[in-house]
Every structure is written in structure tokens, then in C-alpha cells.
Amino acid sequence: MDHAGKQDAQAEMISTPFRHTIFWYLAITLASLWSAPTLAQNQSNPLVIVPNRLSNSFTIPRYQDIVRDVQRTGQTNLQIDAPSSSLPGAKGITGAVSQVSTVSSALDVFLTDSANLKASADEIARIVSNEPADRHSVLYDLQKRYQSSNRPYKLTIARSISDFVISTDTFGPVAPVQTQAVAAPLPVNEAIAADLKQAAGSPVRWFDEKSAQLMASTTVLESAAVRSPVAAPLSKTYANVVSQFIKAVGVPADAEATQGYINAAAKFKLDYAAQWPKIKNDAIARQAAADAYNGLARQRVLKAQYGAMTNFPPLSYEQVFHFSRYVVSLRDGSGNICSGIAISRRWIVSAGHCFTNRSWRDVRVQFDLDGLGKASRPLQILDQWPDRKRCSAATYRMTV
């Protein structure tokens, strides 16, 4: 190789890594410039750390140790899991924190951005403030319970989720970082919002965050019981339902707590049916009981148990069988042609189309009184009302 060729080769050997260095420098610079507005924008929307209710390893004493450490040092160690879940629209992510002043194991926590948490808290406040005094939702009960309890602290850090996403080229857990933090008690509505978000994220999906406002407060039946004593037994049963619900929200991954809530709701349904004869003619008690019942019927984990909303007592299997005895078979010479229901000892209601191109005089009625498929003797129809030509339904009088 001549001298000129050697110089070209050396130049190529030097310029290749140099070009790579320039490329990565420019890439990093551009990335920094691109991310700078996002980071600056998110300084006013920092991350908020709260207890992880879904973690089996979380304990309040360990969390309090970390809070005290933050109060002393103004810092904490934070590691975020799966930053990809922090993309826009996410309600929160999980991570772990540990003390900076001593060697300690990390503790599972729940993280959300402050704007998201505040918006949810403001919505809870708005809903409760707009509810009539005697028609509150269970959000009102949550407020009362959280006001009287020792709420946990929140840790606010001057970092955004974007910081952690940019700091890694993977979507796995981000390496722990030491960051500035401030500890402060969770306001009532923020504490409720954080717990409801986590309850909605339970793996068994027993709770829907939006359905809480559809569930009646204990005050609905309590106020009814003051004005109408017949509502008192149901008021007591329903108070236990709400108590078990609030307990389940506090430990949303605890299957035993969730089952306690389900069992309490089942007891209320049974008591509702048992108390119906006493409340059905009392407008105040009936309305309050129906509000409580219908609110439970709209909760995710109770829908199958409660079925459709109602202003009537839920039917037992015995009642369904009892009513089925009033269903009759309308028959002609070819067999069953239609069905009807006996509304008295002498009258049956059926659809008018049952007698299209057929005379009612040729039809007989049969009952199955014992439910065993043994029909009664055929009963002759004596009359029809109204005129079939003027109505799509018909009533028939029979001999007995």
C-alpha cells in the first residue's frame, strides 16, 4: 500500500468511530431538546406516592419509617416498575421506595401524577356537595370515615413519569434513583380517590370506580328510619353492607374482605324481601329501601346476585313457583296454542293474537296446579272482553 493509501485507511479508521460519536452526541442533544419542554411542563405535575393497597407485602409501619426519613432528609430512593404503563391515560403505576439515611429494603407503593389525583378528588367533592342531604351516595360515608381515621402521608417528588421513561431504553423496571421528596398528610378526598383507583385495579375486578356514586349512603335509610320506624331493621342491615364495603376498599386484594362485603349485601337482599310486607305501604321506607337495593344492584361484584333494579321485593324460588300456578294453557283440538294468566277465579288474560283466525268458543283452558305436569280438566270459555277486533289483548271468562 502506498503512502497515500495508508493515509486514507488511517483517516477511515479514525473517522468511523468519530462519526459514531458525533451521531450519538447529536442524538442525545436532540433528545434532550425534544424532552426539555415536556420535563419543564411536568415540573408543575409531580409524581405522588401513596401506599400500595394491592401489595401483600405493604405495611403501614414500614411506610411510616420511610415518611419520617423523608421528613428528616427531604429525599427518598425510588424505583418505578414498567414505565410503559405510565403513558397518557394511565391512572397510576407501581414502584418501590426505601430510606436514604439507612440501608433498608424497598417497599411497594402506588404512584400517580398530582393532577390526576387532584382531579379525581375534586370530582368526589363536587358529587357529594351536589347530593341532596337525604340522598347521599356512599362517597359521603367514605368522607366521614376518612375524616375520623388516621390517613396515610403522601410523598410528592419533583420528578415526572417522563423523567423515568426517558432515562431508560427499555420498558422494564427503572433503576432506583435518589430524588427529592416532600411528605404531607393525604387530604380526605385525595385519600379516597387513591384508594378507589387501586380498588378498581384489583386483579379480581370486583369494583368499578364510577359505580361508587351509585351506591346509597347509610344516611338514606337512617333518615327514613327516623321518620318511619319500619325502615329501622333494614337501616341496620344496610349499615353493615357499607361498613364491609369500606373495609374491602381499604384492602382491595384481600379476598376475605371482598367476600365479607358480598355476604353482607346478600343478607340485605334477604332482609329486604322479608321486610317487604311491612314497608310496601310506607312510601318513605319503601323508597329508601329501593334506593339502597338498586344501588347495590349496580355494583360490579353484585350484579349477578341482585339482577335487575327493582321497586318490588326480589322473588324467591317459592314465589316464582307460586305465581307460575296462575299460568294456564289455552288449548284446542290440536294441543296447546297459547298461554294466559289467571287474574281471578273467573278471568284469564292472554294476547289477542292467540285467537287470530280462531274462535274462542273452540278453546279450552287447563291449569297445572301442582307443577307436576298434570293438567286440570279442560274448562270452557264463556265470554270474551273486549272485542277482539278492537284490541290486541283479550280477557276470557271461564267456568269453574
Side-chain angles (χ1 to χ4, degrees):
M1 180 180 297
D2 59 18
H3 180 69
K6 290 181 179 180
Q7 285 185 330
D8 290 341
Q10 290 174 349
E12 182 66 23
M13 292 172 63
I14 294 173
S15 62
T16 298
F18 180 72
R19 283 201 301 270
H20 289 173
T21 301
I22 292 296
F23 171 79
W24 285 111
Y25 176 78
L26 290 173
I28 292 171
T29 301
L30 289 173
S32 299
L33 291 173
W34 172 81
S35 63
T38 303
L39 295 177
Q41 181 181 5
N42 284 324
Q43 293 306 309
S44 60
N45 186 22
L47 276 175
V48 174
I49 300 171
V50 296
N52 188 340
R53 303 294 190 185
L54 293 170
S55 171
N56 293 326
S57 63
F58 179 86
T59 64
I60 288 294
R62 288 185 60 201
Y63 186 73
Q64 291 174 333
D65 289 340
I66 293 173
V67 167
R68 285 189 286 268
D69 190 67
V70 168
Q71 291 173 328
R72 289 193 303 269
T73 66
Q75 294 182 321
T76 191
N77 290 323
L78 170 64
Q79 180 177 14
I80 289 182
D81 299 325
S84 58
S85 65
S86 62
L87 297 177
K91 294 182 179 180
I93 57 177
T94 58
V97 292
S98 59
Q99 301 179 47
V100 297
S101 62
T102 183
V103 177
S104 64
S105 58
L107 180 66
D108 291 339
V109 290
F110 179 80
L111 302 94
T112 185
D113 62 81
S114 58
N116 183 295
L117 187 62
K118 185 177 185 303
S120 297
D122 290 345
E123 178 67 6
I124 291 172
R126 183 194 66 79
I127 291 172
V128 174
S129 64
N130 289 335
E131 293 171 342
D134 60 344
R135 300 293 294 276
H136 278 301
S137 69
V138 76
L139 294 175
Y140 178 79
D141 298 88
L142 285 165
Q143 285 184 337
K144 294 298 183 184
R145 181 68 62 88
Y146 281 56
Q147 285 170 354
S148 62
S149 63
N150 294 322
R151 297 184 303 279
Y153 275 60
K154 65 177 179 179
L155 304 179
T156 304
I157 66 172
R159 303 285 292 268
S160 69
I161 292 176
S162 300
D163 293 345
F164 296 91
V165 176
I166 293 171
S167 68
T168 179
D169 57 357
T170 69
F171 288 107
V174 180
V177 296
Q178 185 171 309
T179 180
Q180 293 181 335
V182 176
L186 265 171
V188 170
N189 290 328
E190 286 191 12
I192 296 171
D195 284 357
L196 292 182
K197 287 178 186 295
Q198 294 186 72
S202 172
V204 296
R205 297 178 58 81
W206 66 270
F207 176 69
D208 177 13
E209 190 176 351
K210 295 297 183 181
S211 68
Q213 68 190 76
L214 306 176
M215 184 173 169
S217 165
T218 57
T219 58
V220 171
L221 273 165
E222 287 172 353
S223 60
V226 172
R227 293 175 290 168
S228 178
V230 295
L234 282 178
S235 176
K236 182 178 180 180
T237 305
Y238 188 72
N240 184 50
V241 176
V242 173
S243 177
Q244 294 297 323
F245 167 75
I246 294 176
K247 179 181 178 181
V249 168
V251 283
D254 188 332
E256 185 175 342
T258 304
Q259 191 59 50
Y261 162 51
I262 295 172
N263 293 343
K267 177 68 165 56
F268 177 79
K269 181 180 178 181
L270 292 175
D271 286 1
Y272 182 88
Q275 292 293 320
W276 180 256
K278 296 180 179 179
I279 67 173
K280 66 179 181 179
N281 295 320
D282 188 308
I284 294 175
R286 186 180 67 248
Q287 183 62 59
D291 287 345
Y293 184 100
N294 291 335
L296 294 177
R298 301 172 76 175
Q299 303 306 306
R300 172 180 287 173
V301 77
L302 302 178
K303 286 181 179 178
Q305 180 187 85
Y306 267 71
M309 295 184 293
T310 180
N311 195 30
F312 300 96
L315 299 178
S316 65
Y317 289 114
E318 292 77 10
Q319 289 172 311
V320 171
F321 172 72
H322 174 73
F323 291 133
S324 71
R325 299 175 65 186
Y326 293 92
V327 177
V328 302
S329 172
L330 303 181
R331 310 176 72 85
D332 63 9
S334 64
N336 183 75
I337 60 170
C338 225
S339 61
I341 185 166
I343 58 175
S344 74
R345 290 178 58 83
R346 291 186 176 273
W347 288 96
I348 290 172
V349 176
S350 75
H353 67 76
C354 295
F355 291 85
T356 301
N357 301 322
R358 181 183 290 110
S359 171
W360 56 268
R361 292 180 176 84
D362 299 328
V363 176
R364 298 292 182 268
V365 176
Q366 285 188 327
F367 287 82
D368 181 11
L369 296 178
D370 56 9
L372 299 177
K374 298 178 181 179
S376 67
R377 63 182 175 85
L379 303 176
Q380 182 181 1
I381 296 177
L382 299 181
D383 198 2
Q384 174 189 21
W385 181 89
D387 187 338
R388 171 67 184 86
K389 296 179 180 179
R390 293 184 285 113
C391 186
S392 60
T395 308
Y396 305 95
R397 186 164 65 90
M398 60 186 176
T399 58
V400 293

